[in-house]
Amino acid sequence: MASAEMDPLLLLRQSIASSSAILPTASDDVSAPEVALSKATHLTFTTPSRISLPITTPTRFVANDTAVDLRSIYFLWLKRELPIPEYNAAVAQLDSELADGKIHKPAYFERVELIAWLEGSSEESEYIKPLAGDKDGAASSAAAALASKGAAAPAIGSTVGRSGKGTLDPRLAVIYNSERRTGDRNSALRGIKPTDFSHVRKIAAPFLSKKPVQPSTNISSNPSLALNPKQRRPDPIILLSPSASSLLRMTNAKSFLENGKFVPADSPLASAEGSTMLHINRLMKDIDPNRSLRFVLVEGTERFKPEYWNRVVAVFTTGQSWQFKNYKWTNPHDLFRHIPGIYVGWRQDKTPEAVQAWGHRVTTVGVERWKDVGSDAGRWRDREVVDSIWRVIESNMRSKGWTRDRAPASI
């Protein structure tokens, strides 16, 4: 698209943010009535003004070097609450009803990042290309930020703020020319007598010439780093056990690992969300003392790409080897030579024989048995258990080469 005003992704995100209607229609007429998605040829957006776009319009969301069409993006948003098996069934059903084309089924992390971007919880994605003529992504990011607030997205040629790129709006130029210009601390301290500091350059030259040259990092050789032009370090991944007998599930993992408090997975105090992925934050002082690291928690690896395994920093297990059948290393001894294992059980209960057989590479911890709701007896030990788990994870990350700005190329 030539402009952010007609970009299908931004129009979709803006409509979602403002809860405006998005209508599948069988005509390019903006007043055409809504029809079933399988019979639609256009998608009509009702804000900020009615705009109708062909439903097969390619978007800036790119998967496997192919631009995903608007219909696939819109259908994914409609079915975002469905578990993956039910979503795949819905895609198959719609494919059977379509006369032209097929619905694109995104990979696991593509689906997560796209939904996060559309709902406004994320401002960037490695799968979304910048708008045409916006190489650094500044205009598209600003337009997306406005869209997430329900405002109209600006065109590429307009100026977003005084420091933005492009042609300055004439009305803003009049306002800026009327401003009273004030000096900064450098101009205020300079005084009325100019001072020549050119001799300082000669004094500093010997010291600058001896400055050691830092070796450059070849980003292209590290697939875990080459996520986007900003070279953002990828988030480390923690795998939970999908077993129903696991004490740590998606419903209570965030409370335990982030807040240091254990509640049973089926307790009313646990999260009611059936999410397939969670984000938790933890400060790892020996890796980055200034910023918390964001970790991704998942149970299944069916949608894993090969490079995702370089980001896995821990595997929680119940001792059941079927958990590893879809892993990169299906043999537990091979798996735990690359990634530390963690077993969480009840305190004073016997550790399963399988976990004991896997040796010291699986850390065993125990939590106090759960009592009545509202009882905090023994729960103060939960934080001690959580801290011991994070020490194991942090130690492994340091040994694998995780730093503030990079992830390991392989594990």
Side-chain angles (χ1 to χ4, degrees):
M1 291 295 169
S3 134
E5 293 178 342
M6 293 292 290
D7 181 71
L9 281 183
L10 291 179
L11 286 172
L12 183 56
R13 186 181 189 189
Q14 181 179 354
S15 299
I16 292 170
S18 59
S19 301
S20 302
I22 305 171
L23 307 175
T25 63
S27 168
D28 59 355
D29 185 354
V30 295
S31 60
E34 182 178 3
V35 299
L37 187 60
S38 59
K39 300 179 180 179
T41 60
H42 289 72
L43 205 61
T44 299
F45 301 91
T46 58
T47 184
S49 59
R50 295 183 76 92
I51 299 174
S52 184
L53 296 178
I55 204 164
T56 56
T57 301
T59 68
R60 292 182 292 115
F61 189 85
V62 177
N64 296 325
D65 298 326
T66 303
V68 179
D69 61 282
L70 177 58
R71 177 167 50 197
S72 297
I73 302 292
Y74 176 64
F75 186 72
L76 172 63
W77 174 255
L78 292 179
K79 304 298 182 180
R80 65 192 181 278
E81 302 293 343
L82 292 181
I84 290 178
E86 296 181 18
Y87 170 74
N88 292 338
V91 169
Q93 176 64 29
L94 182 57
D95 281 344
S96 66
E97 299 172 359
L98 291 176
D100 61 326
K102 297 293 183 181
I103 296 297
H104 170 76
K105 288 193 295 186
Y108 182 80
F109 278 88
E110 293 172 358
R111 169 191 172 103
V112 170
E113 289 204 14
L114 179 57
I115 293 175
W117 190 88
L118 288 175
E119 67 186 7
S121 60
S122 173
E123 296 301 333
E124 61 179 15
S125 170
E126 62 176 296
Y127 304 104
I128 298 178
K129 289 187 175 182
L131 289 166
D134 183 28
K135 294 182 179 179
D136 58 357
S140 60
S141 297
L146 289 175
S148 66
K149 297 177 183 178
I156 293 298
S158 64
T159 302
V160 184
R162 186 172 182 177
S163 60
K165 298 184 178 181
T167 304
L168 185 66
D169 190 303
R171 292 171 295 180
L172 290 178
V174 174
I175 296 173
Y176 293 152
N177 289 334
S178 302
E179 288 182 347
R180 178 182 177 184
R181 301 185 181 278
T182 58
D184 57 13
R185 65 186 184 92
N186 294 323
S187 60
L189 294 175
R190 187 175 294 118
I192 60 175
K193 182 180 179 180
T195 304
D196 183 11
F197 290 101
S198 59
H199 65 283
V200 177
R201 182 179 300 175
K202 298 179 181 179
I203 299 174
F207 299 98
L208 295 177
S209 62
K210 295 179 180 179
K211 184 177 180 180
V213 179
Q214 297 292 337
S216 61
T217 302
N218 185 6
I219 300 300
S220 61
S221 65
N222 189 341
S224 297
L225 286 176
L227 288 180
N228 56 40
K230 296 182 179 180
Q231 299 174 3
R232 176 172 58 91
R233 182 204 60 218
D235 297 331
I237 299 172
I238 296 176
L239 290 175
L240 299 180
S241 171
S243 172
S245 63
S246 175
L247 296 187
L248 209 60
R249 301 297 303 273
M250 298 298 286
T251 54
N252 64 346
K254 186 176 181 70
S255 171
F256 185 61
L257 294 176
E258 191 172 64
N259 302 324
K261 185 173 182 179
F262 177 83
V263 296
D266 56 354
S267 168
L269 300 177
S271 172
E273 299 178 0
S275 175
T276 56
M277 189 185 77
L278 291 174
H279 289 118
I280 62 173
N281 296 286
R282 178 77 179 188
L283 182 64
M284 304 297 229
K285 295 182 179 179
D286 290 343
I287 297 175
D288 188 346
N290 300 318
R291 297 178 300 174
S292 297
L293 272 70
R294 188 175 77 160
F295 291 80
V296 180
L297 269 64
V298 295
E299 284 185 346
T301 61
E302 293 80 5
R303 297 279 181 176
F304 258 39
K305 294 182 179 180
E307 59 267 25
Y308 291 166
W309 284 102
N310 297 331
R311 299 161 52 184
V312 179
V313 296
V315 173
F316 283 80
T317 180
T318 58
Q320 299 165 300
S321 57
W322 59 262
Q323 173 187 348
F324 317 126
K325 65 179 181 180
N326 292 324
Y327 284 17
K328 180 178 180 180
W329 299 280
T330 57
N331 185 293
H333 294 281
D334 294 336
L335 172 66
F336 297 127
R337 271 198 293 267
H338 294 86
I339 307 170
I342 299 172
Y343 169 79
V344 179
W346 295 122
R347 189 185 295 270
Q348 297 179 349
D349 274 11
K350 184 179 179 181
T351 304
E353 294 181 359
V355 175
Q356 295 179 12
W358 294 336
H360 67 280
R361 293 186 178 89
V362 179
T363 300
T364 301
V365 297
V367 295
E368 294 292 334
R369 285 192 174 275
W370 181 257
K371 298 181 180 179
D372 296 335
V373 175
S375 175
D376 291 331
R379 297 270 64 92
W380 58 271
R381 293 192 179 95
D382 292 345
R383 187 168 295 276
E384 294 181 356
V385 174
V386 171
D387 288 342
S388 67
I389 292 174
W390 283 115
R391 281 195 295 271
V392 172
I393 296 175
E394 184 173 14
S395 175
N396 169 71
M397 292 178 66
R398 289 201 317 271
S399 66
K400 297 297 183 182
W402 285 87
T403 66
R404 181 182 62 181
D405 301 314
R406 73 176 63 173
S410 61
I411 59 173

